[in-house]
Amino acid sequence: MSKRSLQKYIFIAILFLGLPILGFVLREPLRTQWESSSEYFLPCTTPITYSVGTFDTRFGISKEDFLRAVKDAEAIWEKPINKELFSYVSDGDVLINLVYDYRQDTTQVLQKLGLTVDQNKTSYTELENSYELKLSRFELDTEVFESQVAAFEARKKIYENDARSATRRNRQKNISKEEYARLNAEGDFLEHEAATLNAMQADLQKEVEGVNMLARALNDLAKTLNLSVTRYNEIGGSFNGEFTQGSYENHGEGGDISIFQYDSYEKLVRVLAHELGHALSLAHLDDPEAIMYRLNQGDNSTVTSNDLFALKTRCGIK
């Protein structure tokens, strides 16, 4: 065999041995490129995989019911075009998180107050009325409390002076049984009154929390609805933050859906469907009833014609 032929065989051998190695090294970039190309030329053919990430149990929902809500949210997009768009796996590209913070805390407090907040002007007016009523009640209760505290402090001062005087006279054996009994009774009364005032103070603190929760909800709702109104201040502090029920962040090769607030199972499904829409690269729509409207204010559990048009356009369906 000539030297030239030997070099040729060596080159072919290296080529055949090197291709699998090169393929292994470049497997992830090639897979990403393939998925990107197939998504461009054949959109919505490969389901978006997802799994559950952060899961805060303070929402009071089990992981099974949460996944059921995700499945119901999936169906809102999948049924109209009879196509699987999402798939649950243990290590999906999209993490769906249930994140507990001031938003759900506000919602749960309002629910205890018998209030459900929808994102519309009527809800704002109802909240405003509740806020004014609770603030008036708090101010009245505060006046009563402060009046009782002042009376308690004055009576306590008299008692302490009488008790010191009685102690001196007792050393001189110059105190009557009647006065001794009166002082004991007064001490018992003041002890009971102190416990009553402590309970009143605890109730006032709960009222403060209720008023502040309403102030937060009013400020958030006013901002969401673009209302030109006076900002409500919290009692004893201020609060900043935008009221957002959910969010979607695209990380290139995956993403994160975070759910922050809902007040019913139906609202949870809608906010999940909205964020899954963003995962499909759908943008906000101007239709107030649409799943992809910027506010979660509708009651429908199906896509509107505008939602469906956006979905079919995205998936290349005529």
Side-chain angles (χ1 to χ4, degrees):
M1 181 181 294
S2 67
K3 183 178 180 180
R4 186 179 181 85
S5 297
L6 181 61
Q7 289 175 337
K8 180 180 177 181
Y9 283 119
I10 292 173
F11 173 78
I12 292 172
I14 292 174
L15 182 65
F16 276 98
L17 288 172
L19 281 175
I21 297 173
L22 184 64
F24 178 79
V25 172
L26 298 177
R27 69 190 187 284
E28 284 302 317
L30 288 172
R31 183 180 70 85
T32 302
Q33 184 61 40
W34 166 254
E35 289 178 354
S36 177
S37 299
S38 63
E39 182 60 26
Y40 179 80
F41 292 106
L42 299 169
C44 301
T45 54
T46 304
I48 296 172
T49 60
Y50 68 87
S51 54
V52 175
T54 301
F55 187 84
D56 199 309
T57 57
R58 283 177 290 178
F59 280 82
I61 188 172
S62 67
K63 188 171 288 188
E64 291 74 18
D65 285 341
F66 183 68
L67 280 172
R68 179 166 61 88
V70 179
K71 286 290 184 183
D72 289 344
E74 283 183 52
I76 289 176
W77 295 112
E78 293 175 337
K79 283 185 178 180
I81 60 173
N82 194 28
K83 184 182 287 287
E84 185 183 17
L85 300 173
F86 305 94
S87 176
Y88 173 75
V89 296
S90 59
D91 57 345
D93 291 331
V94 174
L95 285 179
I96 302 181
N97 307 296
L98 195 56
V99 182
Y100 190 98
D101 62 10
Y102 74 92
R103 285 162 280 206
Q104 187 63 17
D105 187 41
T106 300
T107 297
Q108 290 179 346
V109 169
L110 292 177
Q111 285 177 330
K112 290 177 182 177
L113 298 174
L115 299 169
T116 301
V117 180
D118 292 318
Q119 291 177 317
N120 54 46
K121 186 65 169 63
T122 302
S123 283
Y124 180 87
T125 302
E126 291 174 353
L127 278 180
E128 191 174 39
N129 292 337
S130 297
Y131 172 87
E132 297 294 347
L133 184 63
K134 284 198 167 292
L135 182 60
S136 296
R137 178 61 183 269
F138 168 75
E139 290 172 346
L140 180 61
D141 289 346
T142 300
E143 287 181 12
V144 172
F145 173 73
E146 290 176 347
S147 176
Q148 286 191 224
V149 167
F152 171 81
E153 292 295 340
R155 194 162 175 174
K156 180 183 176 185
K157 188 174 182 180
I158 294 172
Y159 168 78
E160 289 173 345
N161 289 335
D162 289 348
R164 282 192 293 270
S165 175
T167 300
R168 288 194 300 269
R169 285 186 285 119
N170 188 47
R171 293 195 190 109
Q172 301 168 359
K173 301 186 182 299
N174 192 24
I175 183 173
S176 66
K177 291 182 179 180
E178 291 77 10
E179 186 173 359
Y180 185 77
R182 181 186 69 79
L183 285 172
N184 278 340
E186 183 69 2
D188 290 342
F189 170 82
L190 288 172
E191 185 178 346
H192 180 269
E193 185 69 2
T196 300
L197 289 172
N198 285 333
M200 289 177 68
Q201 189 172 33
D203 289 339
L204 281 173
Q205 184 57 42
K206 291 179 182 178
E207 288 188 46
V208 166
E209 293 171 1
V211 171
N212 286 345
M213 287 294 182
L214 288 170
R216 295 175 193 176
L218 279 166
N219 292 331
D220 292 332
L221 196 52
K223 185 174 181 179
T224 300
L225 298 174
N226 296 318
L227 299 178
S228 180
V229 293
T230 303
R231 181 177 176 82
Y232 286 92
N233 293 321
E234 291 188 49
I235 302 171
S238 60
F239 184 89
N240 294 313
E242 184 176 352
F243 191 80
T244 308
Q245 294 171 307
S247 69
Y248 172 72
E249 294 183 15
N250 189 340
H251 304 313
E253 296 181 2
D256 276 287
I257 289 175
S258 295
I259 304 302
F260 302 110
Q261 183 270 331
Y262 62 89
D263 54 27
S264 67
Y265 181 84
E266 291 72 23
K267 290 292 186 182
L268 172 60
V269 171
R270 277 182 62 90
V271 72
L272 281 166
H274 181 94
E275 302 309 332
L276 287 174
H278 283 314
L280 285 168
S281 300
L282 300 181
H284 284 157
L285 298 173
D286 291 331
D287 178 7
E289 294 299 317
I291 298 295
M292 293 311 298
Y293 187 57
R294 62 185 180 86
L295 307 180
N296 186 17
Q297 66 176 26
D299 295 321
N300 57 306
S301 58
T302 57
V303 294
T304 65
S305 58
N306 289 322
D307 285 316
L308 187 57
F309 178 79
L311 178 62
K312 286 185 173 181
T313 301
R314 168 70 183 84
C315 294
I317 300 173
K318 296 182 178 180

